[in-house]
Structures are given as structure tokens and as C-alpha cells.
């Protein structure tokens, strides 16, 4: 059955408006077509509010009867924080649904399409399958693997350094690169870093963008011994931005822990493996918090550990045309003997950002 590419593109573009705002739900777009015109459209709202299909139906009102719906993901068929979208679609009298991919969530996973067909609605699915799968890669991994999608961000000089020998690291990249990092922060659920980065840079790890609705991610600090300074920007802003410190489950200093809690920080414990906090257990914990995408913004130890443990899905690598020499390499803690054992990347884009370059790549598993 033919469908109009332009209408599906509109649904795809609408879905992007929900990026970074709907976790743990997927961000979806929907349009309703009557007499070859859009009479209703919508995109997924923050968790607990309208799904894309409901927004589109509310806008279309009575015009939805005998109309067509274009939607990027299979409509849900179960009660969650909102009623099933398929029931609303059936009640509105939609005659045809053109859909993207099947929902990987086993609560849906074909049940939505089945219910629509049983109600006499024509369903054409599998449209733009590759594009939609990439668009919803955070959600799909979260559902299938039961841990968040992990992005690693690094900003380095041409020779791979994150600082000079005196630990000066501001600024490696230019303003445009830093703006893009803030856009990325605005769509992730959490930023993961270590106490070394906090001590060296005293960052805020917030979102600083103009004319944009800001979504400050939860700040995750790996600090085995609770060394973080009470004067650090992280502690000073803990009452404004949710911050969780993960420490070792051994040698707990309850007095120090209670002091940090009084400043608004949440303290959690993790088992240690060879002196390092268990990163897989960390991701399991974040999955249980309903985080489906997290970003690692850290120094060599944590960046290297995530890579060595095969926990990184995608890299955003910002490269400045500078050489500073020395030993402060971003992946200093990875020691590979054979080139055949090196970590390989599947590069998807290389962009020029003023004087810098941004490489985006997937880790080959």
C-alpha cells in the first residue's frame, strides 16, 4: 500500500522535538492526514503526559474519522502512566496506520499492530526501519539490554592530550565545540565523571544554552573515598541539580557520608573490582532509575575503564588543531600489545566546528 514520504518525514521530524525530554519513554512523532492534508500532529511529551498519537488525535478532533495516521513507532497497547494509544486510535475511527518499527518493549512488541488490525484498521509497518532504529537507539538498547546507552565525550588536542603537563585544560576546544557539548548534555539523562575531573577542573556539569529549555542531567560522581570538596561547584549546586556520588561499599565513613547528604547529595555504594568501582553495576543501577542514555565526561582512568569493559556505545570526539606534547593522554590507561587487538570504531560523521573537528563513531563490538 503506497504512503506519502513527506508525511512520514513530518512524523520523523516531529519525533526529534521530544529528544531528551521523554525518558524512559521513546520519543515518537505522529501526524493525521485527511484529504491529503495534515489535520493533526504531535510528539511524545514528558513521561506521564500525552504520547504523540494522543496529541495528534486531540488536534484532529472529529476529522480523525476515516483519516490516516503516520507514526514512527508502533502505538502502545498497554496501560502505563497513560492509557493505551491503540484504544484511542480505534475510538477515533482512524482507517489506516502507516508506522515505523515494531516496539521492542515486550509489553507491546506487535500487540499494538495486532489490536489495530483486529479492529479493522489497515496497518502498514516497517517504514524507514533503519532510520527509526537509529533515531531510537537509546530506547532500544535500554529495553533490550537493560542498561543505558552510553555516549563517551572527549575533547583532545591533535596529539590526543586532555591537558598540558601542568594540568592546564581550559580551553582545548573552541566555543562552537563547547556549545555542541551542551546540546548533547541537554538530551542525556545523566553525566558520569570521576573525582579526578572534579578536583582538576571544578566543573558544574550543567547545561548552558541560550534560548533553549534546559534539561540539566543528573550528575553521577565516582568517588570511592568521598574526597569531594564541600567548596566544589558540584556540592555548592547539589540543591539545584540532582547529584549522586557513588563510593566503594568498603570502609564507609558515615560521618562524612551524612555531611554530604546534608548538602543535598545522594550517596550510593558500589562493589569495587581491582580497586575500581564496578561500572556494569553502575549502569544497572542507572537503568533501574529509568535512565536510557548517559554520557561519560571523564579523565583517562574512567574513560579507559569504560572502553576496556566494552561498555561504550558511541563516541563524540572533539579534536582541536593543537599540539601540547607530554603524557596527559585521554586513553593513557589502555595498554594494547597488538594492533589487531585495538578498539575499532565505525565512523558515522566528521564535522568541522569552526577551527575544531567533531568525530562521531560507534564502538565496534
Amino acid at each position: 500500500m503506497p504512503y506519502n514520504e513527506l508525511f512520514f518525514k513530518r512524523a520523523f521530524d516531529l519525533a526529534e522535538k521530544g529528544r531528551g525530554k521523554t525518558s524512559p519513554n521513546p520519543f515518537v512523532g505522529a501526524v493525521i492526514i485527511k484529504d491529503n492534508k495534515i489535520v493533526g500532529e504531535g510528539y511524545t511529551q514528558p513521561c506521564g503526559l500525552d504520547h504523540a498519537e494522543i496529541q495528534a488525535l486531540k488536534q484532529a478532533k472529529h476529522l480523525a474519522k476515516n483519516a490516516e495516521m503516520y507514526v514512527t513507532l508502533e502505538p502502545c497497547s498497554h496501560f502505563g502512566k497513560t492509557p493505551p494509544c491503540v484504544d484511542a486510535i480505534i475510538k477515533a475511527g482512524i482507517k489506516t496506520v502507516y508506522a515505523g518499527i515494531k516496539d521492542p518493549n515486550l509489553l507491546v512488541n506487535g500487540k499494538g499492530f495486532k489490536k489495530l488490525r483486529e479492529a479493522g484498521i489497515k496497518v502498514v509497518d516497517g517504514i524507514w526501519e533503519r532510520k527509526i532504529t537509529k533515531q531510537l537507539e537509546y530506547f532500544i538498547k535500554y529495553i533490550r539490554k537493560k542498561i543505558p546507552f552510553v555516549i563517551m565525550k572527549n575533547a583532545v588536542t591533535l596529539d590526543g592530550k586532555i591537558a598540558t603537563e601542568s594540568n592546564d585544560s581550559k580551553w582545548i576546544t573552541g566555543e562552537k565545540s563547547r556549545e555542541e557539548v551542551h546540546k548533547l548534555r541537554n538530551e542525556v539523562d545523566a553525566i558520569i565523571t570521576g573525582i579526578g575531573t572534579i578536583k582538576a577542573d571544578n566543573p558544574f556539569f550543567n547545561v548552558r544554552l541560550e534560548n533553549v529549555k534546559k534539561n540539566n542531567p543528573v550528575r553521577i560522581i565516582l568517588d570511592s573515598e568521598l574526597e569531594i570538596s564541600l567548596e566544589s561547584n558540584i556540592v555548592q549546586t547539589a540543591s539545584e541539580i540532582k547529584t549522586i556520588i557513588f563510593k566503594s561499599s568498603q570502609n564507609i565513613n558515615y560521618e562524612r557520608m551524612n555531611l554530604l547528604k546534608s548538602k543535598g547529595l545522594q550517596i550510593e555504594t558500589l562493589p569495587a573490582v581491582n580497586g575500581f568501582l564496578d561500572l556494569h553495576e553502575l549502569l544497572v543501577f542507572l537503568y533501574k532509575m529509568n535512565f536510557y542514555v548517559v554520557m561519560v565526561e571523564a579523565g583517562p582512568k574512567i574513560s579507559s575503564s569504560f572502553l576496556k569493559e566494552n561498555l561504550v556505545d558511541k563516541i563524540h570526539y572533539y579534536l582541536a588543531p593543537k599540539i601540547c606534547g607530554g603524557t596527559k593522554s585521554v586513553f593513557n590507561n589502555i595498554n594494547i600489545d597488538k594492533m589487531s587487538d585495538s578498539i575499532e570504531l565505525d565512523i558515522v560523521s566528521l564535522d568541522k566546528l569552526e577551527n575544531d573537528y567533531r568525530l562521531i563513531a560507534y564502538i565496534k563490538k
Side-chain angles (χ1 to χ4, degrees), residues 181-199:
V181 171
H182 282 279
K183 289 178 182 178
L184 194 54
R185 285 181 185 174
N186 205 36
E187 71 174 68
V188 302
D189 297 317
I191 291 174
I192 300 172
T193 195
I195 186 59
T197 297
I198 304 303
K199 287 180 175 179

Side-chain angles (χ1 to χ4, degrees), residues 80-135:
K81 291 190 175 181
T82 58
C85 289
V86 290
D87 291 354
I89 293 169
I90 293 167
K91 184 178 179 181
I94 294 287
K95 69 174 182 178
T96 306
V97 172
Y98 296 102
I101 64 172
K102 183 190 293 185
D103 192 330
N105 188 341
L106 293 180
L107 291 172
V108 186
N109 200 235
K111 298 182 182 73
F113 291 151
K114 183 174 183 288
K115 193 169 184 179
L116 291 173
R117 289 181 173 119
E118 287 174 346
I121 296 173
K122 294 178 182 178
V123 177
V124 180
D125 62 296
I127 301 171
W128 285 17
E129 188 170 358
R130 186 174 295 179
K131 286 185 179 181
I132 301 296
T133 298
K134 184 176 180 182
Q135 185 180 52

Side-chain angles (χ1 to χ4, degrees), residues 216-283:
N216 284 315
V218 175
R219 301 176 301 193
I220 306 297
I221 317 297
L222 305 185
D223 182 6
S224 293
E225 305 302 325
L226 297 182
E227 299 175 68
I228 193 166
S229 168
L230 298 181
E231 303 306 315
S232 67
N233 288 326
I234 292 292
V235 174
Q236 292 296 310
T237 56
S239 60
E240 304 163 29
I241 304 173
K242 185 176 179 63
T243 305
I244 308 174
I245 294 182
F246 284 86
K247 72 167 303 297
S248 170
S249 54
Q250 301 171 337
N251 303 320
I252 299 175
N253 182 333
Y254 289 101
E255 183 178 352
R256 178 71 174 169
M257 192 162 67
N258 290 332
L259 177 59
L260 290 170
K261 285 181 178 180
S262 74
K263 300 295 183 181
L265 294 109
Q266 180 178 337
I267 312 295
E268 300 291 343
T269 61
L270 284 174
V273 180
N274 298 323
F276 290 92
L277 296 178
D278 189 322
L279 298 181
H280 186 269
E281 285 300 313
L282 169 68
L283 294 181

Side-chain angles (χ1 to χ4, degrees), residues 30 32 40-45 49-61 69 71 75-76 82-89 92:
I32 296 174
E41 61 181 29
Y43 58 93
T44 310
Q45 299 300 296
L49 301 179
D50 285 347
H51 290 190
E53 302 94 320
I54 303 303
Q55 277 218 318
L57 289 169
K58 284 181 176 179
Q59 193 176 108
K61 299 178 181 175
M69 175 178 281
V71 61
C76 65
T82 58
C85 289
V86 290
D87 291 354
I89 293 169

